[in-house]
Amino acid sequence: MISKSYANLLDLANGNFPAMEEPRRKMISRTMTVPGVLTELDDDQARSVSSDAPSTVMADRLIVVANQLPIKATRKIDDNGESSWSFTWDENSLYKHIKDGLPDEMEVIYVGSLRADIDLNEQDDVSQILLERFKCVPAFLPPDVLDKYYHGFCKQHLWPLFHYRLPFSASHGGRFDRSLWEAYVAANKIFSQKVIEVINPDDDYVWIHDYHLMVLPSFLRRHFNRLRMGFFLHSPFPSSEIYRTLPVREEIIKSLLNADLLGFHTFDYARHFLSCCSRMLGLEYQSKRGYIGLEYYGRTIGIKIMPSGIHMGQMESILRQPEKQTRVHELQQQFQGKTILLGVDDLDTFKGVNLKVLAMEQMLKSHRSWIGRAILIQILNPARGKGRHVEEIEAEIRTSTERINQELGIPGSNYNPIILIDTPLSLTEKAAYYTISEAAIVTAIRDGMNLTPYEYIVCRQGISGSDSSNSPQKSMLVVSEFVGCSPSLSGAIRVNPWNVDATSEAMYEAISTSDLEKQMRHEKHYKYVSSHEVSYWSRSFFQDLERTCVEHFRRRCWGIGLSFGFRVVALDPMFRKLTSGAIVAAYEHAQNRAILLDYDGTVMPQSSIDKRPSHEVISIFKKLCNDPKNTVFVVSGRGREDLAKWFAPCEKLGIAAEHGYFIRWPGEKEWETCAQGMNFGWMQMAEPVMRLYTDATDGSYIERKESALVWHHQDADPGFGSAQAKEMLDHLESVLANEPVVVKSGQYIVEVKPQGVTKGLVAEKIFSSMFKKERRADFVLCVGDDRSDEDMFVMIGDAIKGGVILNVNNRSVFACTVGQKPSRAEYYLDDTVEVMNMIENLGDVSVSEDEEEESEEEDDDDGSES
């Protein structure tokens, strides 16, 4: 019997998220007490669980979600021939030790799969045992889904791609297989169901781990808008050029952005992720007080850079074991008089084991005095994946080893320069090998973290008070520069593993350097490793997760979007959508109205090639301007010539051009200048600087206005354009330090303009003019879409406080931004279409008022004649 929970995989992969049925079996006892959670899950947003429901659980909990639970499962057979399952903690699992860095009172629940095949009729009992004894919730994946999900999409697509191997052909890397992606989505869906079974969304934190579960954040976020959720990637994240070859690149990136905190081992990995966000989604990160954040629909997604560590208590416990001591003495006798170099790697194509073997050969040939004295012991852990590539690399390693031993071995002396150990070894056994080794060699061509050097350092340190053989307190490391732990181990000899000659010389240096140098490097490494253990890593990540989520329950959150484009918009509680009902009512009752509209991005879509207003737009503006109660202005950064020509039919329209440097009042033909007699000699200083960057930045150009210079780079390479803009900003500020101008950066622009020229100043002039004419504005509508419009929103607030604007019952002033994003405005409209619909409604009200007045006048005339 096979579970139906992975049916209709194509719907899942396309993001349709149908409700998934599970085999009829007893559900795990829930610890969740929030009302309204359905056992049979339905992803319809209208019926999804709201995190606004009151909670009866007070203590915070952490739910750790990983592909595999930190549990060992073994089947035992008793004397009667009956079998039963036995479960123990997997002390080697990083996830098991996460709670060491958390507050003592915090409960940790684990969700993941088991490394064992559990029969369908045993799954209920196993689930109950694991929940009660270990606080673990197992996710049982159907065999065919498991194979396609783990050995398929994870190991054939994500793992190679994240380690920089592209699928060049069907025989080298394989082509993208959508059925594997569908299984990946189905598996993530099953994990999400298990999380939902035990979660209390108001009080729990969720910490998701690694590339196996990268779309899980979307599934959980669809149910719980305010869920506090972190994700940590334990593998490398490739450069944007590599990642963007993945056909489902946007689905994965957007899903990760549904988490609140994203963790990476190194800045390189984080930088690559941020580059993908910039190039694919146009998102730019900001660094503030040491923290990196991405603004995404009103949410700030934290970026955490923190390499993980080892569990010092576990390692020290192993070093104290008598079996370890015994094995150390045996190995010392076996390799007496020999210098040991040690490699411990998984059997994987990215571990660079054969490059290490070839480097050892080259070292012995270049320094023949070490033949007979130096030995490379290479421990091969069992392969985690399977397939032709694993078999090929294993055959290559064995062939090279046999050839080198035959060529450089000494017959009759039992000396082989390379010893290959391919049987599974316990951590205790490995610790013995670490202890007797003079140097550890890591030559991975690409790796996420790799904790082998950390374990080696601790084993070489030994235990205080033990015999000297257990405490050499000196060590040497040769580490690939492409490994995540490399930046942390500043005393290691870093190598490019592809350069076999350089690696061989590094190996020679590691075993021939002085003992004092070895001791000093060891002390430096041990100090770092012992203070940056796994508890330090988990505590640091959780503290950042708390900090990132501190405002979750203060903000208004709602979900938008379909498929993997789903995201949560989080905005200030006072920030709301502008509705026709509210604004029309205030408009009808007002006597002195002020309407201020930005042009590009507000009246005219940014994407339009033809920026001229249509006949419909002109008609709407005419309706508004012909109402004697209205003072209407277009406040734009555009030049006055274009605006005057485009809006020539609207004679009663006021225009503020170039952010207010030029103003033409309603009914006037002459332009008023913000600052009379200003000297624009600074343009001769600024333009050559801009031209220098324009020549060097393909896709950029200079826009020359009468009062300002603007450098545009929206068509340049995103990364290079942004870097050039920052450099130009510094350059111009330096050159123009003594000039009466301001240099500002905006969205894909750098602008130089006179001091004191802002849209806020324009708004102040308009409201002050109305006030002086005893027409104090009792209705204000101000709409804009970008950073320059924020000055108007701020000024409106100041004018209300100063009594220049009358805000009737706090319901007659509408500062409105375009798009749901953080703003000083209290209202928003989604796009230019909604803006024009709103303006058209107001225009219709004005026309109807005129018609009513005309009708009343006609009635009065008729009455007088009679």
Side-chain angles (χ1 to χ4, degrees):
M1 181 178 178
I2 299 177
S3 168
K4 296 180 181 179
S5 61
Y6 63 103
N8 204 358
L9 297 183
L10 187 57
D11 281 343
L12 283 173
N14 291 332
N16 295 328
F17 306 124
M20 298 183 65
E21 298 179 1
E22 290 188 325
R24 291 192 174 275
R25 51 188 171 90
K26 181 177 64 177
M27 297 298 293
I28 299 173
S29 300
R30 294 182 180 225
T31 56
M32 179 176 171
T33 57
V34 176
V37 179
L38 304 177
T39 300
E40 294 300 321
L41 300 176
D42 192 328
D43 276 329
D44 183 17
Q45 196 175 346
R47 293 186 287 170
S48 66
V49 181
S50 170
S51 59
D52 294 330
S55 169
T56 60
V57 179
M58 300 303 295
D60 288 340
R61 300 184 309 175
L62 176 66
I63 299 177
V64 176
V65 193
N67 178 50
Q68 292 182 337
L69 291 170
I71 294 291
K72 290 182 177 179
T74 54
R75 183 180 284 279
K76 294 185 177 180
I77 301 177
D78 59 20
D79 297 336
N80 298 324
E82 296 183 359
S83 63
S84 62
W85 285 102
S86 173
F87 302 99
T88 57
W89 285 112
D90 182 0
E91 295 294 336
N92 294 333
S93 173
L94 177 74
Y95 309 129
K96 194 263 181 184
H97 303 295
I98 281 177
K99 56 187 175 184
D100 293 347
L102 304 178
D104 293 337
E105 65 275 11
M106 175 164 277
E107 180 183 6
V108 177
I109 295 176
Y110 296 95
V111 177
S113 62
L114 285 168
R115 282 170 286 188
D117 294 328
I118 309 295
D119 291 338
L120 189 63
N121 57 5
E122 297 178 301
Q123 290 179 5
D124 283 345
D125 295 335
V126 167
S127 298
Q128 202 68 33
I129 291 171
L130 291 177
L131 182 63
E132 292 175 356
R133 297 182 185 177
F134 301 93
K135 295 181 181 176
C136 290
V137 180
F140 300 109
L141 304 181
D144 52 345
V145 169
L146 175 62
D147 186 65
K148 289 184 175 181
Y149 150 71
Y150 183 76
H151 295 292
F153 194 75
C154 288
K155 289 300 181 182
Q156 291 182 28
H157 288 314
L158 292 181
W159 180 258
L161 189 77
F162 279 30
H163 289 75
Y164 287 71
R165 189 172 72 197
L166 291 171
F168 290 113
S169 66
S171 60
H172 289 84
R175 294 301 186 208
F176 180 79
D177 187 340
R178 184 156 291 275
S179 69
L180 303 184
W181 162 246
E182 293 163 0
Y184 181 82
V185 174
N188 277 249
K189 173 70 175 179
I190 294 172
F191 277 92
S192 75
Q193 290 178 328
K194 293 303 175 182
V195 173
I196 293 170
E197 284 181 5
V198 295
I199 196 171
N200 184 345
D202 282 348
D203 298 297
D204 292 347
Y205 292 85
V206 176
W207 188 358
I208 303 168
H209 290 269
D210 223 2
Y211 65 97
H212 313 90
L213 302 173
M214 289 195 294
V215 298
L216 179 57
S218 277
F219 284 113
L220 295 179
R221 189 62 74 190
R222 286 178 70 89
H223 282 272
F224 312 110
N225 288 347
R226 291 188 176 91
L227 180 63
R228 297 172 290 187
M229 177 167 45
F231 179 93
F232 197 95
L233 183 66
H234 293 269
S235 77
F237 194 93
S239 66
S240 63
E241 288 76 14
I242 299 291
Y243 178 79
R244 284 184 291 146
T245 64
L246 187 64
V248 289
R249 58 188 189 178
E250 285 199 16
E251 289 88 334
I252 290 176
I253 284 285
K254 289 180 178 178
S255 181
L256 289 175
L257 291 175
N258 275 317
D260 298 299
L261 181 65
L262 298 173
F264 301 89
H265 283 307
T266 71
F267 177 68
D268 270 353
Y269 305 158
R271 179 169 55 85
H272 294 157
F273 174 80
L274 293 170
S275 177
C276 288
C277 291
S278 173
R279 291 174 180 273
M280 292 166 53
L281 305 177
L283 302 178
E284 297 297 334
Y285 74 90
Q286 292 181 335
S287 181
K288 185 177 181 181
R289 295 183 179 179
Y291 297 106
I292 299 175
L294 274 172
E295 287 293 330
Y296 188 59
Y297 289 91
R299 296 169 51 239
T300 300
I301 299 159
I303 304 297
K304 177 71 173 177
I305 300 165
M306 174 62 69
S308 60
I310 61 174
H311 190 264
M312 289 293 294
Q314 179 196 14
M315 291 301 301
E316 290 174 352
S317 175
I318 288 172
L319 294 178
R320 290 190 180 95
Q321 292 178 2
E323 307 92 80
K324 184 264 180 184
Q325 304 285 355
T326 302
R327 186 58 178 148
V328 167
H329 290 303
E330 292 174 355
L331 293 175
Q332 286 175 335
Q333 292 177 1
Q334 179 181 351
F335 298 107
Q336 187 174 10
K338 303 293 189 296
T339 299
I340 305 300
L341 296 90
L342 181 67
V344 180
D345 302 278
D346 294 343
L347 184 55
D348 188 278
T349 55
F350 301 105
K351 298 301 181 180
V353 175
N354 196 55
L355 294 173
K356 186 190 309 181
V357 169
L358 296 177
M360 182 66 181
E361 175 189 23
Q362 183 63 30
M363 192 273 286
L364 293 176
K365 288 182 176 179
S366 300
H367 307 277
R368 302 191 70 87
S369 61
W370 283 97
I371 296 177
R373 298 163 54 201
I375 296 177
L376 171 65
I377 298 178
Q378 177 60 53
I379 298 173
L380 286 178
N381 299 323
R384 299 186 186 184
K386 60 183 180 180
R388 180 173 53 83
H389 292 293
V390 174
E391 296 171 358
E392 287 178 353
I393 197 66
E394 182 179 9
E396 186 179 359
I397 294 169
R398 293 187 183 281
T399 301
S400 297
T401 300
E402 292 172 0
R403 177 184 58 77
I404 295 168
N405 284 340
Q406 186 175 4
E407 181 179 349
L408 299 177
I410 302 176
S413 66
N414 199 28
Y415 169 76
N416 285 319
I418 300 173
I419 296 176
L420 211 57
I421 301 175
D422 57 2
T423 55
L425 298 182
S426 65
L427 187 54
T428 302
E429 184 87 0
K430 291 176 185 175
Y433 279 99
Y434 286 138
T435 302
I436 68 161
S437 300
E438 195 69 18
I441 316 297
V442 179
T443 56
I445 58 176
R446 188 68 62 178
D447 211 350
M449 185 61 196
N450 198 318
L451 295 174
T452 294
Y454 289 26
E455 295 173 351
Y456 167 71
I457 293 295
V458 174
C459 290
R460 291 290 286 180
Q461 176 70 16
I463 301 300
S464 177
S466 62
D467 58 39
S468 59
S469 65
N470 197 34
S471 302
Q473 297 183 346
K474 62 178 182 176
S475 62
M476 287 294 292
L477 288 171
V478 176
V479 178
S480 166
E481 62 187 65
F482 304 119
V483 175
C485 66
S486 176
S488 305
L489 302 171
S490 56
I493 304 173
R494 297 191 182 98
V495 296
N496 172 6
W498 297 102
N499 189 336
V500 173
D501 290 339
T503 304
S504 70
E505 287 303 310
M507 295 168 74
Y508 170 72
E509 181 183 349
I511 59 178
S512 60
T513 194
S514 67
D515 286 350
L516 179 60
E517 179 71 14
K518 293 177 182 178
Q519 183 177 350
M520 292 176 66
R521 293 186 185 229
H522 171 82
E523 289 175 355
K524 186 176 186 179
H525 289 156
Y526 182 75
K527 183 178 180 180
Y528 175 84
V529 172
S530 60
S531 61
H532 289 73
E533 57 178 330
V534 64
S535 61
Y536 178 86
W537 167 73
S538 63
R539 179 168 56 252
S540 179
F541 186 91
F542 183 74
Q543 288 173 348
D544 274 19
L545 182 59
E546 282 186 309
R547 178 186 53 79
T548 304
C549 301
V550 71
E551 293 191 347
H552 264 36
F553 296 98
R554 189 187 68 82
R555 315 195 81 182
R556 290 190 308 119
C557 301
W558 66 93
I560 61 174
L562 302 173
S563 181
F564 285 107
F566 177 84
R567 64 270 188 198
V568 166
V569 177
L571 299 171
D572 189 275
M574 298 302 294
F575 191 65
R576 53 200 183 274
K577 187 164 186 176
L578 185 57
T579 60
S580 294
I583 193 171
V584 168
Y587 187 84
E588 289 175 335
H589 289 91
Q591 297 301 312
N592 298 301
R593 310 172 184 130
I595 301 174
L596 282 64
L597 302 172
D598 176 40
Y599 186 71
D600 291 287
T602 302
V603 172
M604 179 62 58
Q606 292 280 14
S607 58
S608 295
I609 301 299
D610 185 0
K611 296 294 185 180
R612 293 173 299 178
S614 64
H615 294 298
E616 291 78 12
V617 172
I618 295 296
S619 174
I620 293 170
F621 271 87
K622 279 185 175 181
K623 290 179 183 178
L624 290 174
C625 294
N626 289 335
D627 190 329
K629 297 179 182 179
N630 292 348
T631 299
V632 185
F633 263 84
V634 169
V635 185
S636 173
R638 283 192 170 272
R640 58 177 172 172
E641 289 187 6
D642 285 342
L643 293 174
K645 181 170 61 177
W646 293 344
F647 289 100
C650 305
E651 295 179 356
K652 296 180 181 179
L653 174 68
I655 299 176
E658 298 191 15
H659 296 114
Y661 185 80
F662 297 108
I663 298 178
R664 193 182 73 181
W665 295 92
E668 301 288 337
K669 293 186 178 180
E670 299 299 323
W671 289 88
E672 177 183 304
T673 305
C674 176
Q676 296 289 344
M678 176 170 285
N679 182 7
F680 287 96
W682 56 265
M683 283 193 174
Q684 280 68 47
M685 302 168 63
E687 191 168 8
V689 175
M690 286 189 170
R691 195 177 301 115
L692 178 70
Y693 287 87
T694 303
D695 293 342
T697 311
D698 188 37
S700 66
Y701 65 93
I702 301 171
E703 178 189 3
R704 185 181 179 110
K705 301 179 181 179
E706 290 185 66
S707 67
L709 289 173
V710 186
W711 186 72
H712 297 263
H713 61 92
Q714 63 263 33
D715 295 327
D717 176 87
F720 185 56
S722 177
Q724 290 287 79
K726 291 177 183 177
E727 182 67 25
M728 179 193 287
L729 190 71
D730 292 339
H731 196 162
L732 288 171
E733 285 178 344
S734 175
V735 170
L736 303 173
N738 298 320
E739 299 297 323
V741 296
V742 292
V743 185
K744 284 189 173 183
S745 63
Q747 189 171 20
Y748 302 117
I749 66 165
V750 174
E751 183 175 24
V752 185
K753 62 181 181 179
Q755 291 177 349
V757 177
T758 67
K759 289 187 177 182
L761 186 60
V762 174
E764 183 181 5
K765 287 183 177 181
I766 294 170
F767 298 135
S768 296
S769 174
M770 294 177 68
F771 185 80
K772 290 176 182 177
K773 295 177 182 178
E774 298 184 354
R775 294 188 65 228
R776 182 169 65 156
D778 57 1
F779 172 91
V780 175
L781 173 63
C782 180
V783 189
D785 74 305
D786 64 20
R787 193 178 302 173
S788 64
D789 300 306
E790 297 293 320
D791 294 332
M792 290 196 291
F793 303 151
V794 173
M795 190 275 144
I796 288 172
D798 295 340
I800 294 173
K801 293 177 183 177
V804 178
I805 294 175
L806 178 62
N807 189 8
V808 182
N809 297 323
N810 292 323
R811 296 179 179 177
S812 65
V813 176
F814 304 92
C816 179
T817 189
V818 181
Q820 301 174 24
K821 58 180 182 289
S823 172
R824 302 298 292 270
E826 291 188 2
Y827 298 91
Y828 73 90
L829 290 169
D830 285 324
D831 51 35
T832 56
V833 174
E834 289 194 353
V835 173
M836 292 314 300
N837 287 339
M838 183 71 69
I839 300 302
E840 186 175 17
N841 290 340
L842 299 184
D844 291 341
V845 171
S846 290
V847 171
S848 63
E849 287 179 350
D850 291 341
E851 291 175 350
E852 288 177 5
E853 290 178 1
E854 290 176 0
S855 176
E856 290 176 0
E857 290 176 359
E858 290 176 0
D859 291 341
D860 292 342
D861 291 341
D862 292 342
S864 61
E865 288 176 1
S866 64

